[in-house]
Amino acid sequence: MALFGRKNDSTAPTATAEADPALAALTGAYTIDPAHSTISFTVRHAMVTNVRGTFTEHEGTLHLDGSDPANSTASIDVSIASIDTGAPDRDGHLRGADFFDAETFPAMTFRSTAAERIDAETYRVTGDLTIKDVTRPLSIDLEFHGSATDVYGNERVGFEGSATILRSDWGLTWNASLETGGVLVSDKVKLGFDISAIKQGPEAA
């Protein structure tokens, strides 16, 4: 079921050329449910292992357009102070001036600018990721997990995806050299997105 498509591109897949009533029914505004969503990261530490963490406070909205999927959009705001790697001292260092400087730059944001279908199950959302007042383009590949009505009557959709960035591109350059060679923290960071979003009432015309 395609939610995202390539707009005004004759080379885009044509399998959804005819309107799909089930897909069209998903059209509308959605709010990301932070209690059932995870925004995470993984980074190599000391060249030999991975450190994993999450941002426990975030909010966002989606607009899904089932009739013209390329018009779908996403907006996410993440609280940097909510970073959690399971180690309080490390979390404090990450919040500080060496890394995110959360006091000066409290939020990380993503605003989509385009969306496209890659194949039957994979979609790509491209947008602007801002960290520490540095804005650069980011593409996130997503798998659409479908839609369902939960026990409270909420209409939900689910997505899971990832993207890999170089943290230095956003001014996160702190590091330390190891005696055995290499550095303490990898420049490459994998971002993870596991999103559950709840459909809202009819959007204003």
Side-chain angles (χ1 to χ4, degrees):
M1 186 178 290
L3 285 179
F4 300 104
R6 184 180 288 109
K7 191 173 184 181
N8 296 327
D9 186 344
S10 60
T11 66
T14 59
T16 57
E18 294 185 5
D20 181 341
L23 180 59
L26 296 179
T27 296
Y30 292 77
T31 299
I32 293 175
D33 177 6
H36 296 93
S37 301
T38 302
I39 296 177
S40 62
F41 63 90
T42 304
V43 62
R44 183 75 70 179
H45 179 262
M47 310 294 290
V48 297
T49 191
N50 287 319
V51 167
R52 295 176 173 84
T54 62
F55 294 95
T56 61
E57 297 179 14
H58 51 82
E59 61 184 19
T61 58
L62 309 175
H63 170 76
L64 304 182
D65 189 330
S67 299
D68 188 358
N71 286 331
S72 297
T73 60
S75 175
I76 301 174
D77 293 80
V78 177
S79 169
I80 295 298
S82 73
I83 197 168
D84 183 3
T85 66
D89 288 344
R90 180 168 58 211
D91 295 343
H93 190 198
L94 291 169
R95 295 185 190 107
D98 282 342
F99 284 94
F100 287 103
D101 193 1
E103 185 172 344
T104 305
F105 307 102
M108 173 173 63
T109 65
F110 177 79
R111 301 289 184 266
S112 68
T113 56
E116 61 181 305
R117 182 184 182 187
I118 303 302
D119 57 37
E121 297 181 349
T122 308
Y123 311 92
R124 180 169 295 157
V125 179
T126 299
D128 294 326
L129 176 66
T130 300
I131 305 173
K132 296 182 70 173
D133 270 2
V134 177
T135 300
R136 295 180 62 88
L138 175 70
S139 292
I140 306 170
D141 286 352
L142 295 163
E143 181 180 354
F144 177 51
H145 287 319
S147 61
T149 301
D150 66 22
V151 295
Y152 301 104
N154 297 312
E155 295 182 61
R156 291 179 178 267
V157 293
F159 298 90
E160 184 176 7
S162 64
T164 299
I165 66 171
L166 298 179
R167 60 188 179 92
S168 59
D169 287 343
W170 280 267
L172 300 171
T173 57
W174 183 91
N175 226 322
S177 298
L178 302 175
E179 292 183 5
T180 54
V183 292
L184 184 64
V185 185
S186 172
D187 192 23
K188 185 183 295 185
V189 180
K190 182 178 180 180
L191 303 177
F193 305 88
D194 197 347
I195 302 297
S196 178
I198 299 172
K199 193 174 188 179
Q200 304 303 297
E203 296 177 293

